[in-house]
Amino acid sequence: MNSNASSSVTPEQPADANVEHSCDVLIIGSGAAGMSLALSLANYCRIILLSKSDCNEGSTRYAQGGIAAVFDERDSIESHVQDTLEAGAYLCDEDVVRFTAQNAKSAMEWLIEHGVPFDQEQADNGENRYHLTREGGHSFRRILHAADATGEALQITLNEAVSQHPNIHIFERYNAIDMIKSQDNPNRCKGVYVWNRKREQVEVIRSRFITLATGGASKVYQYTSNPDIASGDGIAMAWRAGCRVANMEFNQFHPTCLFHPQARNFLITEALRGEGARLVHADGTPFMEKFDERKDLAPRDIVARAIDYEMKRLGADCMYLDISHKPADFIVKHFPNIYRKCRSLGIDITREAIPVVPAAHYSCGGVMTDLNARTDLDNVYAVGEVAYTGLHGANRMASNSLLECIVFARSAAEHILSRLDEAPAEEPILPWDESKVSDSDEEVIIQHNWHELRLFMWDYVGIVRTTKRLERAIRRIKLLEQEISDYYSNFRVSNNLLELRNLVTVAELIVRCAMQRQESRGLHYNQDYPERAENATPSILTPMPSNTSPQPGDLTSFEH
């Protein structure tokens, strides 16, 4: 790791020294999006890759199913496009969907060149070919995968390549706080304030280009499949800096998270249903045919609502996913990770059904970008789950998420490379001001507010919503915002404080988008508006002009 390679200071400086680093491109986030972008740029410029934890932690690592791309001659790009539009409840941007599908195969070939070990099989002619599986919403087998742990294989492969590149400098255990706007050009950012968790102090990273690759915001919910770091940091930072956000109401609830007290966050991939697994009651009775003609291969929003409905109707704690009718050796070969995990908890999936519940999984909305991943700020890009590209519409189709990361990372890299000759004026950056703050002795209050936020978001802004519930949620969010302003503005920053601040901002954005959409479509189901509206458009929120870059040390900016 080269964590200090681009720093303009030395480790021997005192802890209270103002530390400033500099680079050509700052990438905030070390998942598939951030690492792919770093590798695409590193031969041409200096990169700082910021990771809130370590570079192996993040949502990418836990993605099981795979990555969608047309490799089968019986399949077509047009079919991939139409499947995505249908899964997205026809709220997708068709140009973006087509751009993504057309670039999918070359993106996968790029990953293969970097050594990602996608599963292969022997064709009828004796030659090896990539094994393709099928997931909900897909008309053909088009999912490249590495057993049932594709994300882990992708993360490990990219991390190894990134850590060996001399132009990529990895800063682990750093939280991004806020982007620093230019005084000369309010449409540009000159750097970012970051919190060094090891030294417990705020530092500055000056950069010509900034890319947000921070992932989603599902930690805003009580039950989530996401790792702890998925706290919406990039979305909240971009909003505070003046970027529009869109479609925040569409948070995907993965229908099948393992229901077990010792199985926190463990997903049961949709690929099981693609290979014949059935959703059943405790007595083994299938139920998906009551909800959709595609039965167990229906898109995630339909399956999640069906499970939620059956649980509430029966007063059950969970439903069950059964693949035990398949041969045991087939199950163990194709789903070794899930088999081992369940076996460790006393569940033999070759003989019995798997208890499952829905859990918040993926943010389909985010920071608005174009086909080059550019945001409303001239030198700020957003790639991956943090971004709203228009690909997913009202519901993400399985295995399009990692695909979006790679396709748009490569597109952003191409655009940034075309701008490397630009020479923006150097401006001074004010150091972070901690002269009027102290250490908090009330950490329990942060924890209390954290749990309160996630619980009422689950109850009021979950799988099924009403206008009254959304109004209750916004009132509680406003109270939490005021408490943060009143109680925490005098304290030094901490990981929990920064994440709570961002989660509250993201929660308000989700609720405001949900209140704006007076229909039910895809992942957003409002009992007061159960039908689809005609000529629906994305839910776009625009920051007020006063919502500019916070001042150093200011953690109280919540104006929308």
Side-chain angles (χ1 to χ4, degrees):
M1 300 290 177
N2 304 302
S3 58
N4 287 307
S6 67
S7 173
S8 56
V9 300
T10 62
E12 288 74 24
Q13 288 184 279
D16 58 353
N18 295 320
V19 178
E20 182 174 306
H21 313 271
S22 64
C23 61
D24 295 309
V25 183
L26 169 62
I27 301 172
I28 305 172
S30 59
M35 287 194 173
S36 297
L37 178 61
L39 287 172
S40 299
L41 291 171
N43 288 340
Y44 310 97
C45 55
R46 295 175 302 127
I47 311 294
I48 289 179
L49 185 68
L50 205 73
S51 178
K52 191 159 69 170
S53 182
D54 64 65
C55 281
N56 273 323
E57 181 64 14
S59 294
T60 294
R61 176 185 168 191
Y62 299 98
Q64 295 175 348
I67 311 178
V70 175
F71 273 71
D72 190 324
E73 60 185 18
R74 292 165 294 183
D75 194 4
S76 68
I77 289 173
E78 189 59 33
S79 176
H80 191 179
V81 169
Q82 292 305 316
D83 287 347
T84 300
L85 292 174
E86 183 176 353
Y90 296 98
L91 199 66
C92 311
D93 183 323
E94 186 169 348
D95 290 339
V96 174
V97 175
R98 199 167 298 279
F99 172 83
T100 306
Q102 288 171 342
N103 286 280
K105 187 173 183 179
S106 64
M108 296 307 97
E109 289 169 343
W110 182 82
L111 288 179
I112 291 166
E113 288 173 5
H114 280 83
V116 177
F118 293 119
D119 283 7
Q120 298 186 42
E121 64 180 358
Q122 193 171 68
D124 293 338
N125 62 7
E127 295 181 358
N128 282 344
R129 66 184 180 188
Y130 289 101
H131 180 268
L132 304 174
T133 189
R134 184 181 174 191
E135 296 185 341
H138 291 272
S139 298
F140 293 89
R141 287 179 173 266
R142 64 167 70 100
I143 315 299
L144 282 83
H145 63 101
D148 58 348
T150 306
E152 185 175 14
L154 179 61
Q155 186 77 37
I156 290 171
T157 303
L158 294 179
N159 187 31
E160 183 176 345
V162 163
S163 63
Q164 292 176 358
H165 202 293
N167 280 350
I168 301 175
H169 310 300
I170 302 171
F171 285 29
E172 292 184 315
R173 299 189 62 77
Y174 273 79
N175 291 60
I177 301 174
D178 271 308
M179 291 186 284
I180 306 166
K181 301 285 285 289
S182 166
Q183 281 78 39
D184 296 338
N185 181 358
N187 201 43
R188 291 184 64 89
C189 289
K190 54 190 176 182
V192 176
Y193 289 114
V194 299
W195 186 57
N196 183 331
R197 295 169 68 176
K198 290 174 284 190
R199 297 178 66 179
E200 296 190 347
Q201 74 174 83
V202 177
E203 300 171 3
V204 167
I205 299 178
R206 181 190 295 274
S207 184
R208 296 168 59 196
F209 301 97
I210 299 165
T211 299
L212 303 171
T214 53
S218 288
K219 197 177 176 183
V220 77
Y221 287 102
Q222 179 79 0
Y223 303 108
T224 175
S225 65
N226 284 198
D228 285 342
I229 60 175
S231 52
D233 303 330
I235 297 170
M237 286 172 56
W239 174 258
R240 289 193 292 267
C243 294
R244 290 172 299 163
V245 300
N247 278 13
M248 291 295 294
E249 72 272 33
F250 296 118
N251 196 288
Q252 187 176 78
F253 291 80
H254 195 290
T256 53
C257 200
L258 180 58
F259 180 71
H260 192 283
Q262 297 171 30
R264 182 171 171 264
N265 298 350
F266 189 76
L267 281 186
I268 305 298
T269 176
E270 276 195 286
L272 262 82
R273 290 187 282 121
E275 296 294 348
R278 296 173 299 201
L279 285 159
V280 297
H281 295 146
D283 64 0
T285 305
F287 58 84
M288 277 307 301
E289 63 266 20
K290 297 190 300 182
F291 298 92
D292 194 276
E293 62 183 11
R294 290 163 290 189
K295 301 180 183 177
D296 298 287
L297 287 175
R300 289 179 176 181
D301 59 323
I302 295 171
V303 178
R305 277 200 302 276
I307 294 173
D308 183 68
Y309 179 87
E310 291 296 288
M311 287 170 58
K312 289 175 178 174
R313 181 178 73 84
L314 298 171
D317 292 330
C318 65
M319 290 290 108
Y320 295 85
L321 185 64
D322 188 8
I323 197 171
S324 62
H325 53 279
K326 289 283 189 178
D329 57 350
F330 172 89
I331 296 171
V332 174
K333 177 183 176 182
H334 286 276
F335 306 105
N337 190 42
I338 293 172
Y339 174 78
R340 283 194 299 269
K341 179 67 174 181
C342 290
R343 203 77 175 96
S344 72
L345 299 170
I347 303 167
D348 184 351
I349 68 174
T350 67
R351 296 173 176 270
E352 57 190 314
I354 307 167
V356 293
V357 292
H361 181 58
Y362 189 86
S363 304
C364 290
V367 184
M368 291 189 70
T369 63
D370 63 13
L371 288 177
N372 294 312
R374 295 179 70 181
T375 70
D376 291 329
L377 296 171
D378 180 56
N379 63 332
V380 178
Y381 297 73
V383 180
E385 192 176 352
V386 67
Y388 165 77
T389 62
L391 173 63
H392 305 303
N395 183 20
R396 175 182 73 92
M397 188 167 69
S399 292
N400 270 352
S401 51
L402 290 176
L403 173 63
E404 182 184 39
C405 290
I406 312 304
V407 168
F408 281 89
R410 284 158 53 86
S411 181
E414 186 176 339
H415 196 266
I416 291 171
L417 290 174
S418 73
R419 303 179 64 191
L420 283 180
D421 291 338
E422 295 178 10
E426 287 284 331
E427 294 182 43
I429 295 179
L430 294 175
W432 188 263
D433 182 9
E434 288 190 335
S435 61
K436 299 177 182 178
V437 298
S438 60
D439 292 319
S440 170
D441 59 355
E442 300 185 16
E443 190 74 16
V444 65
I445 301 178
I446 297 179
Q447 292 295 331
H448 174 82
N449 287 352
W450 184 297
H451 294 311
E452 180 185 351
L453 170 68
R454 298 179 71 195
L455 181 59
F456 73 66
M457 284 296 291
W458 181 264
D459 289 341
Y460 297 153
V461 201
I463 296 173
V464 177
R465 302 159 181 181
T466 66
T467 301
K468 183 175 289 186
R469 291 176 191 171
L470 296 175
E471 290 170 347
R472 287 172 177 163
I474 204 70
R475 285 197 297 270
R476 281 158 176 77
I477 287 168
K478 284 300 180 184
L479 288 172
L480 283 181
E481 289 176 349
Q482 188 60 50
E483 285 194 14
I484 293 172
S485 177
D486 290 346
Y487 292 108
Y488 306 150
S489 60
N490 293 322
F491 297 148
R492 287 191 175 90
V493 298
S494 66
N495 181 67
N496 285 345
L497 174 57
L498 292 173
E499 290 190 336
L500 175 63
R501 175 197 187 214
N502 289 333
L503 283 171
V504 170
T505 297
V506 168
E508 179 169 350
L509 297 175
I510 291 172
V511 175
R512 290 201 181 281
C513 281
M515 295 176 77
Q516 185 174 313
R517 184 165 299 282
Q518 297 185 355
E519 64 163 346
S520 289
R521 181 182 296 269
L523 300 167
H524 174 78
Y525 188 82
N526 189 327
Q527 290 181 328
D528 296 322
Y529 303 97
E531 304 298 326
R532 283 192 190 181
E534 295 184 7
N535 303 316
T537 58
S539 304
I540 299 173
L541 301 179
T542 304
M544 296 175 62
S546 60
N547 195 20
T548 55
S549 181
Q551 294 300 305
D554 176 20
L555 290 179
T556 63
S557 175
F558 286 101
E559 298 83 4
H560 301 321

